[in-house]
Amino acid sequence: MITEPIVRASTITVWLTQAGADVRARGDYLTQLDAAIGDGDHGINMTRGFDAVDKALAGQGDGVLPGRLLILAGKTLVSTVGGASGPLWGSALRRAGRALGDVEQFDGPQLALALDAAIDAIVELGAAAPGDKTMVDALVPASRALHAELDAGSSLDQALAAAAQAALEGAEATVPMQARKGRASYLGERSIGHQDPGATSAAIILAALARSVGESG
Amino acid sequence: MATATTPAMKKFLNDPADAVRESLAGLAAAHHDLLRYDADAQIVVRADAPVAGKVALVSGGGSGHEPLHGGFVGRGMLDAACPGEVFTSPVPDQMLAATKAVDGGAGVVHIVKNYTGDVMNFKLAAEDAADEGITVESVLVDDDVAVQDSLYTAGRRGVGATVLLEKIAGAAAESGDDVQRVTALARRVNARARSFGVALSSCTPPAAGKPMFDLPEGEVELGIGIHGEPGRRRERMSSARELAGVMVEAVVSDLQAPPGAQVLTFVNGMGGTPQLELYLLYGEIDRQLREAGLEPVRNLVGSYITSLEMAGASLTVLELDDELASLWDAPVHTPALRWGA
C-alpha cells in the first residue's frame, strides 16, 4: 500500500516559491522566446508577479487554508503582472482556490479537479483552444496525464511527474503551430517554428508543482 | 531572431526599472496645470478631476507609446491614463483607481486598444467598477488593417485611430454629451478609421536593453503594430513614394469610403523618424489619397503613438462627417495636443 502524499497549505507555499524561483532562473530564456514572437518581456513580467507572490505569502501565518493561499496568489498576480499572463494566471489560481473551498488538505483527485478549474478559467478568459499555440497547449495535456495516471492507480508523485512531462512535451509541440491568440497571432505564418513562451512558463510552473508535492509528501 | 549582437544601450535613464515612473513624474512636473500623477495608484489624472456631470474618459496601455496616453490627459481629451510597464498592459487596480478618481457621476468610458492583455485587464476592472456602482462603457479600438484574418488572430490591433478617437470622444464629453452618445461617437470613429504601419528600425525597451528584433540594413518591416513586434512581412527598403503607396493602398482598400469622401489624414511617426521625413511622407500620401478619389480636409502630422525610438511611420485615415470634423476642431488642451484653448 502506497502512502498517498497529501497536499497541504505548506505544499502550496513550497510550490509557489519554487515556481517563482524557477521562473526567475529561466527568465532570460522566457524573454528570449517572447522576443521571437511577442514583445520580449514574458520573463520580466512573470518574475515581477512571483516576486510579489513571495512577499504576499511571507505575510501569511500558519493555519491559512490552501485554497485561500491560491486565491491570494492569484489576486497578487492580477495586480502585478499586467499583460495577458497576469489576468490568465491570476484567474487560474483564484478559480483553483475556490474549487478547493475550505479543505485543510487534499488528495490527488481533488488536485486534478482544481487544475481543471484553473484551466476552465483560462479558457473562459482567453478563449483559446488546444492548437492555438498558448499556455493551454501545455496545461490540457498535463491535466489529461494527471487524470489518466490517477485513474490507473499511480501515486500522486508519479501522476504529477507524468503531468509535468506532458506539459513540457505540450510546450515543445507548440513549435510548429501557427499562433491564433495573443500577440504572436499578428505574425501569421511567421509565428511557426518558435516555442510559445506562455506554454513554456506553464510547463515550468507545473514541473515545480510535481517537485513540491514529491518533496513534501 | 532577437539575439543579434547589439551596441550598448544609450538612453537617458537612471535605473531602467524606474523609467516609467520617473517619466510620469517628469510629465507631471512639466504640466502640473493640466494633470497630476498619482504615483501610488500609478495613474495620470486631469488636474480638475472629477468634473461633475461630465462623462469621463479613461484609457491606458503599455508605456513606450508616448505621448499616448498620459500626454493626452487634459481638457477636451482624456480624464485619466493608466500606464503599464513598457509594452505591457496596466493592471486592473490602476484602471479601477482611475475610474474612481474621474467619475463625475455621468458615467465613465474605457478606451481599450485591442490587445489580449489590455482587453482582459480592462474587463476585470470594469467588473470591479460595476461592483462599486460606477457605470462603465468600454470602447474597443481595432483599426490596424495589417492584421487580416480575425478568425485566426487576436483580431485587429488598436493603433493610430486611438489618438483620433480620444480627441473626438473627449470633445463630445467636454461639450456635455451623455455616456451613450460619447460611446457611440467613439465607436463611429473606430468603425471609420483604418491604419497601417511601417518600421525602418527596431526599438529597445529600457528593461530589455537590446533591440526587440533585428532588421538588417536595407530592409523594412511592413504591417507593424506599436510594440516592436515584427510585422507581417519584410521587404527591401524603397522610396518614400513607394512606401506611401503601400500604406495608402492597404488603408484605402480596406476603408472602402465612397468616392469624394472627406477624410482626416494622420501621418504618425513611430518615435525615431524626424519631422522632415514625416512631412515628406505626408506630401506623398496626400497626393496619393487624392488620386484614389478621397479628399483630405484635416490632418495630423507628428509622433503621437510611438514605439520608443523606432524609426518608421503609420498612416491612419478617418472618414469624416460634419459632426466628427467639428468635434475634431473643438478646443483641446493637453500636453501633446493643443488648439483653440
Side-chain angles (χ1 to χ4, degrees), chain A residues 55-82:
Chain A
K55 272 190 205 133
L57 293 179
Q60 298 298 304
D62 295 337
V64 183
L65 299 170
R68 300 303 307 172
L69 285 180
L70 286 171
I71 291 170
L72 172 68
K75 280 187 174 160
T76 305
L77 291 177
V78 169
S79 297
T80 53
V81 176

Side-chain angles (χ1 to χ4, degrees), chain A residues 4 7 106-117 119 138-167 206 209-210 213:
Chain A
E4 187 68 17
V7 187
F106 54 97
D107 58 9
Q110 283 170 294
L111 176 62
L113 290 178
L115 176 60
D116 291 347
I119 295 171
L139 293 173
V140 166
S143 160
R144 211 174 287 138
L146 182 60
H147 281 285
E149 290 284 332
L150 290 173
D151 290 350
S154 302
S155 72
L156 180 54
D157 283 6
Q158 288 170 327
L160 278 172
Q165 182 61 29
L206 283 186
L209 176 63
V213 171

Side-chain angles (χ1 to χ4, degrees), chain B:
Chain B
M1 78 169 67
T3 53
T5 53
T6 56
M9 177 174 65
K10 254 193 228 169
K11 288 177 181 288
F12 290 110
L13 296 169
N14 296 312
D15 181 344
D18 297 330
V20 171
R21 272 162 286 278
E22 291 183 359
S23 176
L24 292 168
L27 176 77
H31 300 285
H32 53 83
D33 53 327
L34 299 177
L35 52 81
R36 58 191 151 82
Y37 167 47
D38 179 340
D40 291 328
Q42 188 60 2
I43 55 176
V44 176
V45 178
R46 184 173 150 157
D48 56 352
V51 182
K54 187 185 91 70
V55 173
L57 268 55
V58 173
S59 193
S63 293
H65 310 304
E66 292 67 24
L68 187 92
H69 294 276
F72 298 134
V73 172
R75 204 138 32 88
M77 219 159 160
L78 294 179
D79 293 81
C82 310
E85 297 296 325
V86 171
F87 297 161
T88 299
S89 166
V91 300
D93 310 43
Q94 287 168 266
M95 298 154 184
L96 181 63
T99 301
K100 287 158 80 170
V102 300
D103 176 30
V108 179
V109 178
H110 285 178
I111 298 169
V112 186
K113 301 193 296 304
N114 189 31
Y115 296 97
T116 307
D118 288 20
V119 170
M120 286 179 191
N121 284 287
F122 267 107
K123 178 173 180 279
L124 296 179
E127 287 170 7
D128 290 344
D131 288 346
E132 301 202 18
I134 303 174
T135 312
V136 171
E137 292 285 346
S138 291
V139 174
L140 199 64
V141 193
D142 58 349
D143 54 312
D144 181 7
V145 302
V147 181
Q148 284 167 345
D149 189 352
S150 47
L151 274 181
Y152 296 102
T153 65
R156 289 186 161 172
R157 296 174 285 221
V159 287
T162 314
V163 177
L164 312 182
L165 186 153
E166 289 176 357
K167 164 67 186 84
I168 288 171
E174 203 70 48
S175 77
D177 282 352
D178 66 20
V179 69
Q180 279 76 28
R181 180 129 189 80
V182 171
T183 306
L185 273 162
R187 295 201 173 119
R188 197 155 103 210
V189 171
N190 182 56
R192 293 189 182 179
R194 300 288 188 280
S195 300
F196 188 87
V198 175
L200 310 185
S201 80
S202 183
C203 61
T204 300
K210 57 186 179 190
M212 296 193 57
F213 58 93
D214 176 31
L215 192 52
E217 202 56 32
E219 293 190 13
V220 296
E221 285 273 347
L222 300 180
I224 51 147
I226 53 171
H227 299 94
E229 64 266 49
R232 295 288 287 188
R233 60 183 202 275
R234 190 170 281 189
E235 288 192 2
R236 299 291 308 163
M237 178 68 191
S238 52
S239 67
R241 186 163 304 144
E242 286 170 291
L243 289 172
V246 170
M247 297 162 92
V248 166
E249 205 285 323
V251 166
V252 168
S253 65
D254 201 278
L255 181 62
Q256 301 202 323
Q262 299 199 324
V263 297
L264 186 162
T265 310
F266 174 26
V267 173
N268 172 63
M270 301 307 298
T273 288
Q275 201 79 351
L276 181 144
E277 291 172 45
L278 292 179
Y279 274 116
L280 190 158
L281 193 58
Y282 179 81
E284 288 292 343
I285 287 170
D286 181 81
R287 186 176 56 72
Q288 294 187 25
L289 285 175
R290 288 176 199 280
E291 283 170 11
L294 301 178
E295 188 191 351
V297 294
R298 300 287 189 282
N299 66 71
L300 183 65
V301 182
S303 299
Y304 293 101
I305 170 169
T306 60
S307 296
L308 297 168
E309 81 283 31
M310 174 184 280
S314 63
L315 166 66
T316 302
V317 174
L318 168 64
E319 183 187 347
L320 289 172
D321 54 40
D322 289 346
E323 186 176 29
L324 296 185
S326 121
L327 288 167
W328 177 257
D329 293 339
V332 61
H333 190 179
T334 69
L337 275 191
R338 181 179 185 180
W339 56 74

Side-chain angles (χ1 to χ4, degrees), chain A residues 2-12 14-15 105-108 111 155-158 160 208-217:
Chain A
I2 300 162
T3 311
E4 187 68 17
I6 290 295
V7 187
R8 304 182 178 81
S10 59
T11 322
I12 300 293
V14 169
W15 167 42
Q105 55 185 40
F106 54 97
D107 58 9
L111 176 62
S155 72
L156 180 54
D157 283 6
Q158 288 170 327
L160 278 172
L209 176 63
R211 281 215 305 289
S212 307
V213 171
E215 282 163 18
S216 66

